[in-house]
Amino acid sequence: MRKIDHFIGGASYASGERQGDVFDPNQGNVQAHVNLGTAADLARAMDNARAAQPAWAATNPQRRARVMFKFKELVEANMDALALLLSSEHGKVIADSKGDVQRGLEVIEFACGIPHALKGEHTQGAGPGIDVYSMRQPLGIVAGITPFNFPAMIPMWMFGVAIACGNAFILKPSERDPSVPVRLAELMKEAGLPDGILQVVHGDKEMVDAILDEDDIKAVSFVGSSDIAQYIYSRGTANGKRVQAFGGAKNHGIVMPDADLDQVVNDLAGAAFGSAGERCMALPVVVPVGEKTANGLREKLIPAIEALRVGVSTDADAHYGPVVTAVHRERIETYVQMCADEGGELVIDGRGFKLQGHEEGFFIGPTFFDHVKPNFRSYQEEIFGPVLQMVRADSFEDAVRLPSEHQYGNGVAIFTRNGHAAREFAARVNVGMVGINVPIPVPVAYHTFGGWKRSGFGDINQHGMEGVRFWTKTKTVTQRWPDGSVTGENAFVIPTMG
């Protein structure tokens, strides 16, 4: 049985007897065991980070950027192997796994420009003979706690910018699919990163709490469910840390009467069901405006959903693969039954799906509900599976109100040909990321990613310049170089720049 160890001090490190199961979602069997670390394992990683970080922070930004350039080359050279490894533990199809890696690499590309991003501000002559300038300096040792659904992208979103800024980074990935994060750390070492700057510690709540309670970890970034995000934000900030914690989502797709329904159906098929719906930026709720729009959309959606192909991760013709574990499949099926019991019309039921030759795999077919109401618990909560719910809206005002009043505020999309409607919607909707005829509005790497309400805790978002701000602290210097004798005439007066 394969064993997945920590990556500490630039080498594989096996800890105690606590182990977690890593499944093959396509077959339904345990394929590996992962170490579940303790505070002692974190302490070992911290010792390595403390020893390595000062020299890394003193390394000039150009040299740090060169490590990022080399890492990018190595990841691209290993793309096929990384995607296959990712799919084998997560279950998403190979094309999705490559997209997972590629979207992470886009943030690495941004990090390659860190010399420019770290430039501070400068004012010459702020006062008589006085200049003022600022510099961005690393926090020291920082950490990231990442989810199972993007085991390549989200770690790279975090450690790419943090390390480029001069920090040492400790990564606690999901114990459900931990192999790719370890492989990324190995490739960073191969790219020239000093030992101790990027380390991977595996674990469950015990390791998470150890990270949150470690005094020398100055900042923590998290992506996962909202309840855990709130817990991490509360405990981390109570311990004096800078914390960004991103939670769940229930993203809506608004379909205006003038929308191109064929394009909407094509977009919804990918956004709602791609990666088996295990995306925080999936589009699990569609909101057609007006009965004519709803009926027309439903008529086109049904055959499109029924035509979706569910297959193993290596099936190039499959639209999506299995979900990550049997427990998660049961959770999704519980929500399907809940929505039916609440009065939703179950148009297509994906429960009980079996793939020939892979009957024990964690598969679930695409599911579609119509006539879902805002008071349904199944609408109010995140399902995180291949389930699309249709909530009919009578007007544009209703379409703005539904996502705005929802507890989550991660992403939203509007489909329309009307520029005024799109502009008005984008300005008014109470959601952090908006797509206009874009079903999954994940911003490019040099912008920033982050949701509102219970989708995000903390004031600073991920990657882009927001990421640079999160992983650094600003120091402002006011300097004067006297050219003559020094007098104490004004020594006890607060200086001004008049």
Side-chain angles (χ1 to χ4, degrees):
M1 181 71 67
R2 185 165 61 95
K3 187 179 177 185
I4 304 164
D5 295 327
H6 309 292
F7 187 80
I8 295 177
S12 179
Y13 173 72
S15 60
E17 296 181 357
R18 295 182 67 232
Q19 304 285 319
D21 292 335
V22 178
F23 290 92
D24 176 353
N26 294 287
Q27 301 293 346
N29 61 291
V30 176
Q31 62 164 310
H33 294 299
V34 59
N35 278 302
L36 297 179
T38 65
D41 300 313
L42 178 63
R44 185 184 184 96
M46 290 297 298
D47 287 343
N48 281 273
R50 291 186 191 99
Q53 192 272 332
W56 180 245
T59 302
N60 68 54
Q62 300 97 303
R63 292 185 182 276
R64 298 201 298 259
R66 287 170 195 159
V67 173
M68 293 296 163
F69 275 111
K70 182 61 177 177
F71 174 68
K72 175 181 179 293
E73 293 175 0
L74 289 170
V75 171
E76 289 172 337
N78 287 272
M79 176 68 80
D80 290 342
L82 285 167
L84 186 61
L85 181 60
L86 196 160
S87 290
S88 72
E89 292 183 353
H90 177 280
K92 63 176 72 177
V93 297
I94 296 294
D96 268 337
S97 290
K98 288 184 176 181
D100 188 333
V101 177
Q102 182 58 43
R103 287 310 295 259
L105 274 185
E106 289 171 9
V107 174
I108 299 301
E109 290 171 346
F110 171 81
C112 289
I114 202 65
H116 176 75
L118 286 177
K119 288 193 303 185
E121 299 172 321
H122 184 274
T123 299
Q124 182 178 2
I130 295 175
D131 301 330
V132 179
Y133 65 93
S134 66
M135 60 182 77
R136 290 200 168 273
Q137 296 186 321
L139 300 177
I141 303 171
V142 298
I145 303 168
T146 58
F148 75 86
N149 59 322
F150 285 98
M153 180 183 79
I154 294 178
M156 284 193 276
W157 278 11
M158 295 179 186
F159 74 64
V161 179
I163 290 172
C165 287
N167 298 288
F169 192 94
I170 293 176
L171 172 64
K172 205 300 285 184
S174 171
E175 63 274 23
R176 299 181 191 178
D177 47 7
S179 291
V180 166
V182 172
R183 184 67 185 124
L184 292 174
E186 292 171 346
L187 291 174
M188 282 290 282
K189 176 183 172 72
E190 188 177 341
L193 189 70
D195 293 343
I197 298 300
L198 175 58
Q199 301 177 93
V200 182
V201 293
H202 304 294
D204 49 17
K205 185 176 184 296
E206 182 175 346
M207 179 59 76
V208 169
D209 286 347
I211 289 171
L212 295 175
D213 295 341
E214 169 55 57
D215 289 341
D216 282 345
I217 292 178
K218 301 305 181 184
V220 176
S221 182
F222 170 82
V223 175
S225 70
S226 289
D227 288 344
I228 298 176
Q230 188 168 16
Y231 169 80
I232 284 174
Y233 182 77
S234 298
R235 186 161 179 161
T237 54
N239 286 329
K241 301 186 191 310
R242 183 179 294 181
V243 181
Q244 55 177 197
F246 296 94
K250 194 78 171 189
N251 305 324
H252 294 57
I254 312 303
V255 183
M256 297 298 291
D258 65 338
D260 181 340
L261 292 186
D262 290 327
Q263 184 63 53
V264 171
V265 168
N266 182 70
D267 287 345
L268 279 174
F273 300 104
S275 198
E278 295 172 317
R279 296 170 175 158
C280 67
M281 289 299 286
L283 209 62
V285 178
V286 60
V287 183
V289 178
E291 285 298 303
K292 182 178 178 182
T293 307
N295 293 335
L297 181 61
R298 170 178 168 142
E299 182 180 348
K300 290 177 178 291
L301 267 174
I302 292 172
I305 295 172
E306 291 176 336
L308 291 174
R309 179 185 174 100
V310 183
V312 295
S313 301
T314 53
D315 181 354
D317 295 324
H319 293 100
Y320 71 86
V323 296
V324 68
T325 62
V327 171
H328 188 56
R329 180 182 59 188
E330 291 167 8
R331 177 182 180 276
I332 295 166
E333 292 179 341
T334 297
Y335 273 108
V336 172
Q337 186 60 52
M338 180 192 301
C339 190
D341 292 343
E342 290 173 316
E345 180 189 355
L346 184 52
V347 182
I348 300 173
D349 188 350
R351 292 173 296 177
F353 178 89
K354 297 291 184 182
L355 186 66
Q356 187 175 0
H358 300 269
E359 287 80 7
E360 300 304 314
F362 308 140
F363 296 94
I364 181 170
T367 297
F368 174 46
F369 280 97
D370 194 1
H371 300 288
V372 173
K373 303 300 182 184
N375 64 333
F376 288 5
R377 179 183 164 192
S378 60
Y379 163 78
Q380 295 165 356
E381 298 181 1
E382 183 179 38
I383 297 175
F384 217 61
V387 180
L388 177 63
Q389 296 175 300
M390 181 182 286
V391 181
R392 298 180 177 223
D394 292 331
S395 66
F396 176 77
E397 293 299 323
D398 287 339
V400 175
R401 177 179 53 80
L402 282 166
S404 294
E405 294 181 355
H406 202 280
Q407 66 167 326
Y408 296 122
N410 213 38
V412 68
I414 183 170
F415 300 93
T416 181
R417 293 184 175 96
N418 187 313
H420 175 73
R423 184 176 184 274
E424 188 76 4
F425 181 83
R428 290 172 51 190
V429 71
N430 186 24
V431 173
M433 291 173 283
V434 181
I436 298 173
N437 299 311
V438 175
I440 304 178
V442 178
V444 293
Y446 42 89
H447 282 262
T448 185
F449 179 99
W452 292 359
K453 297 177 284 187
R454 278 183 56 79
S455 291
F457 299 85
D459 298 324
I460 304 180
N461 289 343
Q462 292 195 73
H463 65 67
M465 285 306 298
E466 285 276 275
V468 174
R469 281 188 280 271
F470 183 78
W471 298 116
T472 60
K473 53 191 174 185
T474 302
K475 180 181 289 182
T476 304
V477 179
T478 303
Q479 69 176 8
R480 178 181 64 181
W481 299 100
D483 59 359
S485 61
V486 179
T487 65
E489 181 180 347
N490 296 314
F492 298 97
V493 178
I494 293 176
T496 67
M497 300 302 170

